[in-house]
Amino acid sequence: MGEFHVMDHPLIQHKLSIIRDKNCGTREFREVVNEIASLMVFEVARDMPLKDVEVETPEGTAHAKKLAGKKVAVVPILRAGIGMVDGVLDLIPTAKVGHIGMYRDEKTFQPHEYFLKLPSDIGERQIFVVDPMLATGGSAIMALDALKKHGANPKNIKFVCLVAAPEGVKAVQKAEPDVDIYAAALDDHLDHGYIVPGLGDAGDRLFGTK
Ligand code: PRP
Ligand code: URA
């Protein structure tokens, strides 16, 4: 079964409280979502492999380290996942970006895919799938399926979200046992498809739509 990690770093927890507040406006919400995404990826990237290198400094030779593993792709689930991309790219500027468009039916909460564009070498990459909300898990599971169909290796995929519901974590772990999930918080439950207490509709809050 894939591992589930709640990232309890104080800065992540502090910033999450800012965006949970219903009075947090669009501009601040957008900024802080990206800041949390950066902090989370900083932690998620902790197991990236390194190689030994020699670097000529102005004073001599340093025996140093550089990243040695797979190149990275960040894949946001549209729309709300877009809000996390810049935060990831701030830390990993060379990452390629794939997009998977997904919306939930308002009544059934079933996800529908409407767009997909991935780097052609997705099968060779370490993939960070980003979406602020993991609710029923339907969108995440459909996005992970789409990635696999296009050659991604589930062992190379990490799912990074801000708020997760227990139902969604369970569903993704069952459907995709090779994918580890990282969240800033595990909330209480779902109510009519929405995470409680959650932070509301992440896409609407990021883009100022309603
Ligand atoms: C939200 C969110 C996730 C999905 C989570 O997207 O960003 O993609 O719901 O719910 P689930 O786990 O039950 O599938 P939404 O469908 O509202 O689209 P949006 O990002 O365009 O607002
Ligand atoms: N999508 C959201 O944006 N918020 C929720 O609480 C659930 C799904």
Side-chain angles (χ1 to χ4, degrees), residues 1-4 169-170 172-174 176-180:
M1 184 185 290
E3 290 175 15
F4 174 62
V169 173
K170 211 168 144 194
V172 173
Q173 282 181 324
K174 186 163 176 230
E176 299 293 351
D178 287 324
V179 174
D180 291 341

Short mmCIF file of all heavy atoms in Angstrom, two decimals, residues 1-4 169-170 172-174 176-180:
data_model
loop_
_atom_site.label_atom_id
_atom_site.label_comp_id
_atom_site.label_asym_id
_atom_site.label_seq_id
_atom_site.Cartn_x
_atom_site.Cartn_y
_atom_site.Cartn_z
N MET A 1 0.83 -1.21 0.00
CA MET A 1 0.00 0.00 0.00
C MET A 1 0.87 1.26 0.00
O MET A 1 1.90 1.31 0.68
CB MET A 1 -0.88 -0.01 1.26
CG MET A 1 -1.85 1.15 1.30
SD MET A 1 -2.78 1.21 2.83
CE MET A 1 -3.83 -0.20 2.65
N GLY A 2 0.46 2.26 -0.77
CA GLY A 2 1.22 3.51 -0.80
C GLY A 2 1.22 4.18 0.57
O GLY A 2 0.27 4.05 1.33
N GLU A 3 2.31 4.88 0.85
CA GLU A 3 2.39 5.56 2.15
C GLU A 3 1.60 6.86 2.13
O GLU A 3 1.46 7.49 1.08
CB GLU A 3 3.86 5.87 2.47
CG GLU A 3 4.65 4.62 2.79
CD GLU A 3 6.12 4.92 3.00
OE1 GLU A 3 6.47 6.10 3.19
OE2 GLU A 3 6.91 3.97 2.96
N PHE A 4 1.10 7.24 3.29
CA PHE A 4 0.41 8.53 3.42
C PHE A 4 1.15 9.37 4.47
O PHE A 4 1.34 8.92 5.60
CB PHE A 4 -1.05 8.32 3.85
CG PHE A 4 -1.76 9.60 4.15
CD1 PHE A 4 -1.93 10.55 3.16
CD2 PHE A 4 -2.24 9.88 5.42
CE1 PHE A 4 -2.57 11.76 3.41
CE2 PHE A 4 -2.88 11.08 5.69
CZ PHE A 4 -3.06 12.02 4.68
N VAL A 169 -8.02 9.32 0.73
CA VAL A 169 -6.73 8.65 0.97
C VAL A 169 -6.91 7.14 0.79
O VAL A 169 -6.13 6.47 0.10
CB VAL A 169 -6.20 8.97 2.38
CG1 VAL A 169 -4.96 8.15 2.70
CG2 VAL A 169 -5.90 10.46 2.51
N LYS A 170 -7.99 6.62 1.41
CA LYS A 170 -8.25 5.19 1.34
C LYS A 170 -8.46 4.73 -0.11
O LYS A 170 -7.91 3.71 -0.55
CB LYS A 170 -9.50 4.88 2.17
CG LYS A 170 -9.51 3.53 2.80
CD LYS A 170 -10.63 3.46 3.83
CE LYS A 170 -11.22 2.06 3.79
NZ LYS A 170 -12.47 1.95 4.48
N VAL A 172 -7.47 6.16 -2.95
CA VAL A 172 -6.25 6.21 -3.78
C VAL A 172 -5.29 5.09 -3.39
O VAL A 172 -4.70 4.42 -4.24
CB VAL A 172 -5.56 7.60 -3.68
CG1 VAL A 172 -4.21 7.59 -4.41
CG2 VAL A 172 -6.47 8.69 -4.26
N GLN A 173 -5.17 4.85 -2.09
CA GLN A 173 -4.25 3.77 -1.66
C GLN A 173 -4.70 2.42 -2.21
O GLN A 173 -3.87 1.59 -2.57
CB GLN A 173 -4.21 3.72 -0.12
CG GLN A 173 -3.33 4.82 0.46
CD GLN A 173 -3.27 4.76 1.97
OE1 GLN A 173 -4.25 4.43 2.63
NE2 GLN A 173 -2.12 5.09 2.54
N LYS A 174 -6.04 2.23 -2.27
CA LYS A 174 -6.55 0.95 -2.79
C LYS A 174 -6.32 0.84 -4.31
O LYS A 174 -5.87 -0.19 -4.81
CB LYS A 174 -8.04 0.85 -2.48
CG LYS A 174 -8.65 -0.46 -2.83
CD LYS A 174 -9.99 -0.67 -2.15
CE LYS A 174 -10.59 -1.98 -2.63
NZ LYS A 174 -11.97 -1.84 -3.06
N GLU A 176 -4.21 2.68 -6.26
CA GLU A 176 -2.83 2.90 -6.73
C GLU A 176 -1.84 2.62 -5.61
O GLU A 176 -1.26 3.54 -5.03
CB GLU A 176 -2.67 4.36 -7.21
CG GLU A 176 -3.56 4.75 -8.34
CD GLU A 176 -3.23 4.02 -9.64
OE1 GLU A 176 -2.18 3.33 -9.69
OE2 GLU A 176 -4.00 4.13 -10.58
N PRO A 177 -1.62 1.35 -5.29
CA PRO A 177 -0.78 1.01 -4.13
C PRO A 177 0.68 1.45 -4.26
O PRO A 177 1.40 1.47 -3.25
CB PRO A 177 -0.88 -0.52 -4.03
CG PRO A 177 -1.51 -0.99 -5.30
CD PRO A 177 -2.21 0.16 -5.93
N ASP A 178 1.12 1.83 -5.46
CA ASP A 178 2.52 2.25 -5.61
C ASP A 178 2.72 3.75 -5.41
O ASP A 178 3.86 4.23 -5.44
CB ASP A 178 3.04 1.87 -7.00
CG ASP A 178 3.28 0.38 -7.10
OD1 ASP A 178 3.70 -0.22 -6.08
OD2 ASP A 178 3.02 -0.19 -8.17
N VAL A 179 1.61 4.49 -5.28
CA VAL A 179 1.74 5.95 -5.24
C VAL A 179 1.67 6.45 -3.79
O VAL A 179 0.70 6.19 -3.08
CB VAL A 179 0.62 6.60 -6.08
CG1 VAL A 179 0.63 8.12 -5.94
CG2 VAL A 179 0.76 6.21 -7.54
N ASP A 180 2.71 7.16 -3.36
CA ASP A 180 2.69 7.76 -2.02
C ASP A 180 1.93 9.08 -2.07
O ASP A 180 2.01 9.83 -3.06
CB ASP A 180 4.11 8.01 -1.52
CG ASP A 180 4.85 6.71 -1.22
OD1 ASP A 180 4.17 5.67 -1.06
OD2 ASP A 180 6.09 6.74 -1.16
#
